[in-house]
């Protein structure tokens, strides 16, 4: 009888721990999903601005002040994502008490958020910093090589933002699946 009661008590503790972790993960991931949405809207807006600048590059190169002004108007978010509840769930091993399918949904969502943030900070942010430091330091684009270098930097940044947008679209369904977990 004592072993049965101890087993029931452990089962109840595991159930309560899973419920608490699930609530924490849902709150955290809901906030992260909102941040991702904001970041993706800004990435798309920046890409539209970059498309215009690239298309108008020959004319903009002859008006460096205008080009620098437009580069200065680029405003990506580079939002941070919170993963404290996730890290706590991992370290406490509480995820092991969840059903496999539910755990897999949480894992997919958080792996996606982690990859998005990693790409944002290690690829897109350095490219953005490169653009925002390069253009203000140039007062003219008198040679073809300078104009080509300026356009190359804009295209590289556009590519980084396109990748973020693509990855963001891919992880969005995983976020919805995880948040629909009961």
């Amino acid at each position: 009888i004592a072993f049965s009661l101890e087993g029931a008590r452990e089962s109840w503790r595991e159930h309560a721990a899973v419920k608490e972790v699930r609530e924490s993960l849902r709150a955290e991931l809901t906030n992260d999903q909102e941040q991702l949405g904001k970041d993706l809207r800004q990435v798309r807006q920046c890409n539209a601005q970059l498309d215009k600048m690239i298309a108008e590059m020959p004319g903009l190169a002859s008006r460096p002040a205008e080009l620098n002004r437009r580069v200065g108007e680029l405003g990506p978010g580079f939002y941070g994502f919170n993963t404290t509840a996730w890290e706590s769930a991992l370290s406490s091993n509480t995820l092991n008490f969840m059903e496999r399918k539910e755990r897999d949904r949480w894992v997919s969502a958080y792996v996606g958020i982690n990859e998005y943030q990693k790409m944002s900070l290690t690829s897109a942010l350095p490219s953005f910093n490169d653009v925002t430091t390069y253009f203000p330091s140039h007062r003219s684009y008198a040679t073809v090589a300078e104009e080509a270098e300026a356009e190359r930097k804009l295209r590289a940044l556009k590519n980084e933002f396109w990748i973020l947008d693509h990855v963001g679209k891919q992880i969005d369904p995983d976020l919805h699946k995880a948040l629909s977990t009961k």
Side-chain angles (χ1 to χ4, degrees):
I1 293 174
F3 285 126
S4 293
L5 289 175
E6 183 62 28
R9 187 173 75 156
E10 278 302 311
S11 179
W12 178 81
R13 281 186 190 159
E14 291 168 3
H15 178 74
V18 166
K19 181 180 177 190
E20 184 179 322
V21 164
R22 188 181 294 127
E23 290 170 4
S24 296
L25 293 176
R26 183 172 282 113
E28 182 174 83
L29 202 57
T30 297
N31 186 51
D32 286 346
Q33 185 181 37
E34 290 172 17
Q35 294 294 79
L36 178 66
K38 289 176 188 176
D39 198 66
L40 289 174
R41 281 189 294 281
Q42 288 178 314
V43 160
R44 291 172 187 143
Q45 181 180 353
C46 285
N47 262 346
Q49 291 169 293
L50 288 165
D51 280 339
K52 284 183 177 182
M53 283 188 269
I54 291 167
E56 299 169 8
M57 192 57 190
L60 282 174
S62 65
R63 299 185 327 267
E66 172 68 11
L67 179 56
N68 291 342
R69 183 190 65 76
R70 289 173 69 177
V71 166
E73 290 175 351
L74 294 172
F78 296 112
Y79 290 101
F81 297 95
N82 189 1
T83 59
T84 305
W86 175 248
E87 291 165 16
S88 175
L90 287 174
S91 67
S92 69
N93 290 322
T94 307
L95 294 173
N96 292 333
F97 303 124
M98 287 183 176
E99 290 184 27
R100 186 184 56 78
K101 287 183 179 182
E102 179 183 4
R103 182 177 58 240
D104 289 350
R105 288 190 294 264
W106 291 115
V107 168
S108 293
Y110 275 98
V111 165
I113 287 290
N114 185 43
E115 287 302 310
Y116 182 90
Q117 186 165 14
K118 191 182 307 178
M119 292 173 66
S120 179
L121 297 177
T122 62
S123 299
L125 182 58
S127 184
F128 177 71
N129 287 338
D130 184 37
V131 165
T132 58
T133 56
Y134 175 81
F135 283 90
S137 68
H138 283 76
R139 301 290 177 233
S140 73
Y141 303 93
T143 68
V144 173
E146 288 174 320
E147 183 180 329
E149 179 65 7
E151 185 173 334
R152 186 197 65 74
K153 288 183 180 293
L154 294 176
R155 288 183 184 279
L157 179 58
K158 181 179 173 10
N159 184 58
E160 293 297 338
F161 286 158
W162 181 88
I163 291 169
L164 281 180
D165 188 29
H166 182 72
V167 170
K169 288 175 188 174
Q170 288 182 321
I171 64 174
D172 195 51
D174 290 336
L175 296 175
H176 287 289
K177 283 181 191 175
L179 291 171
S180 68
T181 299
K182 301 284 183 222

